[in-house]
Amino acid sequence: LKAFSYATRYDFTSDAEALLTRLESSYLRSKNGNVGHDDIIDLAPDAISYTTVISSYARSDITGKARKAQSILYRMIDFFKAGNTDAKPSVYTFNACLNACAYTFDQAEKVDAFIVAVSTLVLLQEYTKPDSVTYGTLLKAWCNLIPNEDERRHRIVNSVFLQCCKDGQVGSMVMQQLQYAATPELYRTLVGKDVNDDVNLSSLPWQWTRNVKERNWKLSDRIKSR
């Protein structure tokens, strides 16, 4: 599955999903005591299996990949609710699904990707808590999916960043994506610095970063390295 997930071609992503489907079918037949000759014995699809396939869709250029990624997430939840406790979605699973939305660039698909992102965020809160990557990916998604001139973008970016601060999850990815998602005026209002100023995580309020698990980081260094 991992090998398939790092390929961007449609057929490899399809192969990854086909292998997942085979795992699901074998698991169900094994559970019912009806094991077939080609079944994969003693293996059940787990959180890593589903997350890997979702990530494969996120990396691909497949049409409708946000909706396809979400369909895998729904299958995962169905299997978890049916008794496969190893298939409980984690924050990594939801982040992978949000990533498929954030990397949807076809203008005709952006509205649907936005809907998928919002519904995925709501569902995430039933199973886990958002982390720094969640918020960074959300900011990237809103930057890509909502036009800069749309006033709703600024309200949503403001709301996401304030909630991120409240959760203590302001990490490097959040600060980097905030540069792109927010106007210079909004960035200055939220951070208290100009968008081109150096920003160290250690210079931000402790409450903003208290739950972030990463080494100290400076925004200007990240920009120069690109």
Side-chain angles (χ1 to χ4, degrees), residues 87-120:
K88 181 179 180 180
S90 69
V91 68
Y92 304 108
T93 311
F94 291 103
N95 289 348
C97 194
L98 290 172
N99 209 36
C101 303
Y103 281 89
T104 295
F105 298 111
D106 189 329
Q107 196 64 38
E109 298 181 29
K110 287 189 175 184
V111 171
D112 194 51
F114 177 85
I115 294 171
V116 171
V118 172
S119 59
T120 299

Side-chain angles (χ1 to χ4, degrees), residues 7 38 57 61 66 78 101 107 126 149 152 161 205 208 212:
D38 294 328
Y57 274 113
D61 55 2
D78 287 343
C101 303
Q107 196 64 38
E126 295 182 23
E149 63 274 11
R152 290 173 297 179
F161 185 74
W208 292 11
V212 177

Side-chain angles (χ1 to χ4, degrees), residues 35-73:
V35 179
H37 176 72
D38 294 328
D39 285 337
I40 305 172
I41 310 301
D42 296 329
L43 283 179
D46 59 12
I48 295 175
S49 307
Y50 286 102
T51 302
T52 300
V53 177
I54 292 171
S55 295
S56 180
Y57 274 113
R59 292 188 186 97
S60 75
D61 55 2
I62 294 172
T63 300
K65 66 181 182 179
R67 188 65 67 178
K68 287 181 171 67
Q70 189 182 54
S71 72
I72 301 297
L73 173 62

Side-chain angles (χ1 to χ4, degrees), residues 22-184:
R22 185 182 171 195
L23 278 171
E24 290 174 331
S25 299
S26 297
Y27 169 76
L28 290 175
R29 282 193 289 269
S30 176
K31 189 176 179 181
N32 296 327
N34 186 26
V35 179
H37 176 72
D38 294 328
D39 285 337
I40 305 172
I41 310 301
D42 296 329
L43 283 179
D46 59 12
I48 295 175
S49 307
Y50 286 102
T51 302
T52 300
V53 177
I54 292 171
S55 295
S56 180
Y57 274 113
R59 292 188 186 97
S60 75
D61 55 2
I62 294 172
T63 300
K65 66 181 182 179
R67 188 65 67 178
K68 287 181 171 67
Q70 189 182 54
S71 72
I72 301 297
L73 173 62
Y74 286 159
R75 280 165 54 178
M76 179 182 191
I77 290 172
D78 287 343
F79 266 76
F80 171 68
K81 289 182 175 179
N84 182 3
T85 56
D86 290 334
K88 181 179 180 180
S90 69
V91 68
Y92 304 108
T93 311
F94 291 103
N95 289 348
C97 194
L98 290 172
N99 209 36
C101 303
Y103 281 89
T104 295
F105 298 111
D106 189 329
Q107 196 64 38
E109 298 181 29
K110 287 189 175 184
V111 171
D112 194 51
F114 177 85
I115 294 171
V116 171
V118 172
S119 59
T120 299
L121 180 61
V122 172
L123 194 58
L124 177 153
Q125 296 171 75
E126 295 182 23
Y127 292 91
T128 185
K129 295 180 180 180
D131 63 7
S132 181
V133 174
T134 308
Y135 285 112
T137 306
L138 279 173
L139 289 172
K140 183 174 182 62
W142 304 151
C143 180
N144 176 42
L145 301 176
I146 308 174
N148 187 51
E149 63 274 11
D150 191 328
E151 181 58 34
R152 290 173 297 179
R153 168 167 160 174
H154 311 304
R155 292 199 302 268
I156 292 174
V157 168
N158 181 75
S159 177
V160 167
F161 185 74
L162 292 179
Q163 185 62 49
C164 184
C165 293
K166 183 178 179 180
D167 290 346
Q169 293 288 0
V170 179
S172 58
M173 183 180 179
V174 171
M175 293 305 299
Q176 185 184 26
Q177 294 305 323
L178 184 65
Q179 279 196 317
Y180 304 122
T183 62

